[in-house]
Amino acid sequence: MPYQVRIEVFEGPFDLLLNLITKQKLDIYDIPIAKITEQYLSYIEQIEIVDLETASGFLLVASTLVEIKSANLLPEKRDDLEEDEIPPEQARQNLIARLVEYKKFKNASLSLAARLESESRYYKREVGLEEKFLKLLPDFLKDVSIDDLAKLMVKFLTKENAFVVDTSHVIPKPISLKEIFSVAINKLKQKKNQSFRELTINCKNKAEIIAYFLAILELFKNDFLKLSQAETFGEIEMEFCEFSEHEVMEEVYGN
Amino acid sequence: METNVKGILEALLFVADEPLTLKQFVQITGFDTELIEKNLKELAEEYQKGNRGIQLREVADGYRFFTHPAYAPFVEELVLSADYRKLSQASLETLATIVYRQPITRARIGAIRGVNSTGAIASLQEKGLVKEVGRERGPGQPILYGTTKTFLENFGLKNIKELPPLKDFALDEETIDQLQLRLMAEPVEKAKKESKE
Amino acid sequence: METNVKGILEALLFVADEPLTLKQFVQITGFDTELIEKNLKELAEEYQKGNRGIQLREVADGYRFFTHPAYAPFVEELVLSADYRKLSQASLETLATIVYRQPITRARIGAIRGVNSTGAIASLQEKGLVKEVGRERGPGQPILYGTTKTFLENFGLKNIKELPPLKDFALDEETIDQLQLRLMAEPVEKAKKESKE
């Protein structure tokens, strides 16, 4: 279920910033960005964002504004920039370029909206075939009985992953990554060359498989494991390099 | 553009999925019966004189457009040209889900089957087995799907209450238990929704 | 009765539940493309001139009958209003980026809009306006999105090229200058003076 992030009337950080910029009156003695930054910050303080990605988008724009604003408080030229730091003027140009690009699509979206509005007055005929033509259709239910459909439904309802009932009130059983990690190492010690599928063959649910996957990545990162995959979505083959379980745990978990 | 009575009647007849009565025309347009009748008659004549592909006919329960019988062989060709020989497994699964969970949204069908079912739903609609039966309240107002009369007739059912109960099809104890749980859980979900309304 | 090309085309268009392509007309009728095209054009004109309730339009690479927009208020009395076709601003923005940048990944849509677009993409998919069209090569093989035939149909487009090019929506020089000035880190007066130098 995606988060419904409705940031009042604004559809994101660029939308908000463009709006503030348009409202901004230009006083030639003012430093324009100071006022905009102030308004922007006070706005994002008020809004409640539940989505991390959206939040970081707003914060990134905010920090860029602050950076540009502070540039004029500092001595003319800074030569102490970090290697990966963008000079304020460059940051300003980047921000403007993104605003310009975004506005182009926003304008296009308004034109699409107008088109949709006028199109919504055209109705198509959504009526089935006349009876006499219906008979022509092959009987696609010929070999199907109503019982077949019932059996299919039972299959879905009793399938592990098809739990469509609201379970938000149930506390999920936490899976201990460390525990899985230890089990994975033991399995790999017993059989040094095996596929990821083999390793997770007895997993009861997706969460468990994911936990194994994380364990594998951790082992790989620490050079305890070689990984290979011949083709996209193909089998992940693993080769475990001999170490004691203790060594591995110590390397990864520090105990 | 000046609206004209004939145009309005034509548009209504075009989208209607059952014969329209004079009473319905009056209700929708606000014109009086005589005016409507006169225009319907003229419309029917125009279509007939022109050897048009569509004919307006008065049937037992109202007025309705039909294809001209002279062109039936071409229409048959069109109907048969569509690739519908047999139901795919995806279609069958989707059908089963709609049969037992109607009215149901596309999203919930997908959730039950575990895969996007848009294509399968469209194909079932095309075949006249399922149809849109309304819209759910709430955000986005998603379309609700249900089975058609054609579907029920095919299996000799009067209505969906005559469907065989699912618990008759559980194979073993464990399946029965699981099924019970889920069948029990669902009315709760439904009740919740209703109480919100 | 003498069959005529126009009548045949009309009957086919009436029963079809999706736009019919020239190729389909050729296959079904056996007439050649030119004859069909000529008759379709004439048919469309006849319907248009007569202020008829039905209009023949070319959409999504095919031909389809629609009701005349002038009669929409009456039609809506009979069928479900098309209101559900309305899209939120977020959906429209997302749709615009997909329309003009397809095939495009979720991440790039987000980068252009400056905001996570997952929910909007899902809602557009649910409405059948966009679909997965493939996967990008490279790390993670992200899904690529593109528009559908339904999109063309709902927006009354023959094909995607009918839309104005994206550059038509670009900001003019003056507006960009305004943006520049309003994001200045120094008093406007000074900035203006400097930019003139």
Side-chain angles (χ1 to χ4, degrees):
Chain A
M1 186 64 189
Y3 290 108
Q4 284 286 330
V5 195
R6 187 87 194 140
I7 306 121
E8 282 186 29
V9 289
F10 301 108
E11 290 304 337
F14 297 148
D15 200 24
L16 170 60
L17 183 54
L18 276 171
N19 192 283
L20 294 178
I21 288 172
T22 329
K23 279 196 300 201
Q24 164 86 9
K25 284 207 190 83
L26 269 190
D27 183 331
I28 52 169
Y29 301 108
D30 273 352
I31 297 167
I33 195 152
K35 198 171 273 169
I36 286 174
T37 306
E38 187 188 304
Q39 289 171 345
Y40 190 93
L41 290 175
S42 85
Y43 185 85
I44 61 172
E45 261 171 37
Q46 294 164 30
I47 56 174
E48 197 180 306
I49 306 171
V50 278
D51 174 344
L52 199 65
E53 216 179 303
T54 306
S56 61
F58 276 96
L59 289 177
L60 187 69
V61 169
S63 67
T64 309
L65 290 174
V66 171
E67 202 181 319
I68 302 167
K69 188 188 112 179
S70 61
N72 77 327
L73 302 175
L74 297 166
E76 282 283 312
K77 267 216 176 123
R78 279 177 64 197
D79 37 22
D80 59 341
L81 283 175
E82 299 278 333
E83 212 174 286
D84 56 351
E85 213 176 323
I86 303 165
E89 178 52 26
Q90 184 62 46
R92 191 175 80 96
Q93 289 308 332
N94 289 351
L95 183 60
I96 289 170
R98 290 192 72 180
L99 285 175
V100 168
E101 180 74 357
Y102 165 75
K103 189 69 168 85
K104 196 163 67 177
F105 285 97
K106 179 153 174 118
N107 288 344
S109 80
L110 297 175
S111 143
L112 283 176
R115 186 174 262 281
L116 189 60
E117 168 68 30
S118 70
E119 278 303 313
S120 71
R121 288 193 288 274
Y122 287 95
Y123 285 87
K124 38 194 190 196
R125 188 176 146 86
E126 278 165 308
V127 182
L129 283 173
E130 284 168 38
E131 294 78 358
K132 63 174 177 179
F133 297 119
L134 268 179
K135 290 192 207 99
L136 273 180
L137 291 177
D139 180 9
F140 13 74
L141 291 175
K142 201 171 75 192
D143 300 319
V144 182
S145 73
I146 191 78
D147 291 0
D148 291 337
L149 295 176
K151 279 175 205 156
L152 271 175
M153 196 60 202
V154 169
K155 196 184 90 190
F156 285 136
L157 288 176
T158 50
K159 210 167 61 180
E160 189 94 33
N161 297 328
F163 213 77
V164 288
V165 178
D166 181 15
T167 53
S168 56
H169 58 286
V170 180
I171 300 157
K173 178 179 175 282
I175 291 173
S176 158
L177 195 56
K178 206 167 155 184
E179 204 176 292
I180 296 271
F181 197 82
S182 175
V183 177
I185 292 167
N186 269 321
K187 283 187 179 175
L188 284 164
K189 267 166 87 179
Q190 280 162 26
K191 193 177 174 199
K192 292 194 177 59
N193 288 294
Q194 56 174 310
S195 70
F196 183 66
R197 190 184 302 277
E198 247 179 295
L199 181 70
T200 54
I201 197 117
N202 292 320
C203 284
K204 285 184 216 72
N205 53 44
K206 265 187 207 155
E208 218 179 304
I209 298 177
I210 292 167
Y212 269 101
F213 192 70
L214 292 175
I216 293 309
L217 287 181
E218 203 58 44
L219 285 172
F220 174 71
K221 201 174 90 186
N222 289 288
D223 276 338
F224 291 117
L225 197 66
K226 284 180 189 152
L227 293 175
S228 64
Q229 190 176 26
E231 55 184 345
T232 312
F233 298 119
E235 291 288 335
I236 301 168
E237 296 295 344
M238 304 178 293
E239 188 188 335
F240 188 61
C241 315
E242 185 61 26
F243 291 97
S244 73
E245 186 186 341
H246 177 73
E247 276 177 283
V248 181
M249 294 300 274
E250 192 172 61
E251 181 73 36
V252 177
Y253 283 100
N255 67 351
Chain B
M1 197 208 66
E2 197 202 331
T3 59
N4 60 58
V5 184
K6 227 176 280 175
I8 295 172
L9 301 182
E10 205 176 18
L12 291 174
L13 286 162
F14 178 72
V15 292
D17 58 0
E18 51 183 8
L20 290 173
T21 61
L22 279 175
K23 205 176 139 195
Q24 279 176 296
F25 281 120
V26 172
Q27 271 173 357
I28 294 170
T29 64
F31 301 135
D32 58 37
T33 317
E34 290 71 36
L35 184 65
I36 290 166
E37 244 183 327
K38 180 178 151 277
N39 276 281
L40 283 171
K41 196 168 281 177
E42 282 177 25
L43 202 56
E45 270 167 28
E46 280 170 29
Y47 271 100
Q48 200 169 359
K49 274 189 198 148
N51 269 346
R52 305 286 298 274
I54 311 170
Q55 300 278 287
L56 175 56
R57 296 217 301 259
E58 196 181 346
V59 288
D61 33 7
Y63 293 84
R64 183 179 161 181
F65 273 141
F66 290 89
T67 53
H68 194 300
Y71 308 123
F74 296 99
V75 174
E76 286 168 14
E77 194 69 32
L78 172 69
V79 173
L80 290 173
S81 74
D83 199 323
Y84 4 32
R85 290 287 145 208
K86 214 178 131 217
L87 286 184
S88 65
Q89 184 63 20
S91 295
L92 269 180
E93 290 182 7
T94 307
L95 183 60
T97 314
I98 296 174
V99 168
Y100 276 98
R101 284 295 172 271
Q102 58 187 310
I104 184 170
T105 64
R106 188 192 308 252
R108 278 205 297 276
I109 297 168
I112 290 175
R113 290 191 57 221
V115 291
N116 182 338
S117 308
T118 309
I121 297 169
S123 133
L124 289 169
Q125 270 187 292
E126 215 170 89
K127 294 176 174 61
L129 298 174
V130 311
K131 61 175 182 185
E132 299 181 6
V133 293
R135 288 190 174 266
E136 193 169 64
R137 290 185 196 180
Q141 302 199 300
I143 297 164
L144 290 165
Y145 295 91
T147 51
T148 59
K149 226 167 88 185
T150 313
F151 169 82
L152 288 174
E153 279 167 4
N154 207 304
F155 292 112
L157 302 170
K158 277 198 215 88
N159 55 52
I160 56 168
K161 280 180 199 135
E162 288 186 0
L163 286 170
L166 286 177
K167 61 173 167 43
D168 294 357
F169 295 91
L171 300 170
D172 48 56
E173 282 299 316
E174 203 189 337
T175 320
I176 294 171
D177 285 352
Q178 268 192 22
L179 199 58
Q180 284 287 2
L181 260 175
R182 278 171 209 184
L183 293 177
M184 258 166 56
E186 293 209 350
V188 178
E189 205 191 28
K190 255 187 205 155
K192 252 197 233 158
K193 206 185 293 157
E194 274 159 18
S195 73
K196 269 184 206 151
E197 280 167 13
Chain C
M1 195 206 71
E2 197 203 333
T3 60
N4 61 59
V5 183
K6 229 175 276 174
I8 296 171
L9 301 181
E10 208 175 18
L12 291 175
L13 287 162
F14 181 72
V15 290
D17 57 3
E18 56 175 5
L20 288 174
T21 61
L22 279 176
K23 206 175 135 197
Q24 280 174 297
F25 281 120
V26 172
Q27 271 171 0
I28 293 166
T29 63
F31 302 135
D32 60 36
T33 316
E34 290 71 34
L35 184 68
I36 291 167
E37 242 181 329
K38 181 178 150 278
N39 276 281
L40 284 170
K41 196 168 280 177
E42 282 176 24
L43 202 56
E45 271 169 26
E46 282 170 28
Y47 273 100
Q48 199 172 2
K49 274 187 197 147
N51 269 349
R52 305 283 300 274
I54 309 171
Q55 300 283 297
L56 177 56
R57 302 171 75 211
E58 208 181 332
V59 290
D61 281 324
Y63 294 82
R64 187 167 191 173
F65 275 140
F66 291 86
T67 58
H68 194 299
Y71 308 127
F74 298 101
V75 172
E76 279 157 20
E77 294 280 321
L78 202 59
V79 299
L80 213 59
S81 145
D83 270 359
Y84 67 86
R85 283 202 226 154
K86 287 215 175 88
L87 296 173
S88 68
Q89 201 192 326
S91 293
L92 279 165
E93 279 185 28
T94 306
L95 184 60
T97 54
I98 296 174
V99 166
Y100 285 102
R101 282 285 180 270
Q102 59 185 317
I104 185 171
T105 63
R106 186 188 308 250
R108 279 205 297 278
I109 297 168
I112 289 173
R113 295 190 56 224
V115 68
N116 180 351
S117 305
T118 308
I121 296 171
S123 141
L124 290 169
Q125 268 188 295
E126 152 94 3
K127 293 191 164 70
L129 298 173
V130 310
K131 62 175 179 188
E132 301 180 6
V133 293
R135 280 180 183 271
E136 194 170 62
R137 290 186 197 179
Q141 303 199 301
I143 296 164
L144 291 164
Y145 295 91
T147 51
T148 61
K149 219 168 104 179
T150 307
F151 163 75
L152 292 176
E153 236 195 292
N154 283 4
F155 283 76
L157 297 165
K158 270 184 237 176
N159 53 53
I160 205 91
K161 283 180 208 129
E162 254 196 305
L163 284 173
L166 186 62
K167 65 174 166 48
D168 287 8
F169 299 109
L171 300 182
D172 53 39
E173 287 295 321
E174 201 186 330
T175 318
I176 297 176
D177 284 349
Q178 293 278 334
L179 271 183
Q180 289 277 10
L181 278 179
R182 286 182 161 90
L183 288 178
M184 279 292 172
E186 49 201 39
V188 178
E189 192 183 29
K190 194 179 160 209
K192 269 191 180 158
K193 214 182 288 164
E194 273 170 13
S195 72
K196 272 181 202 149
E197 277 164 15

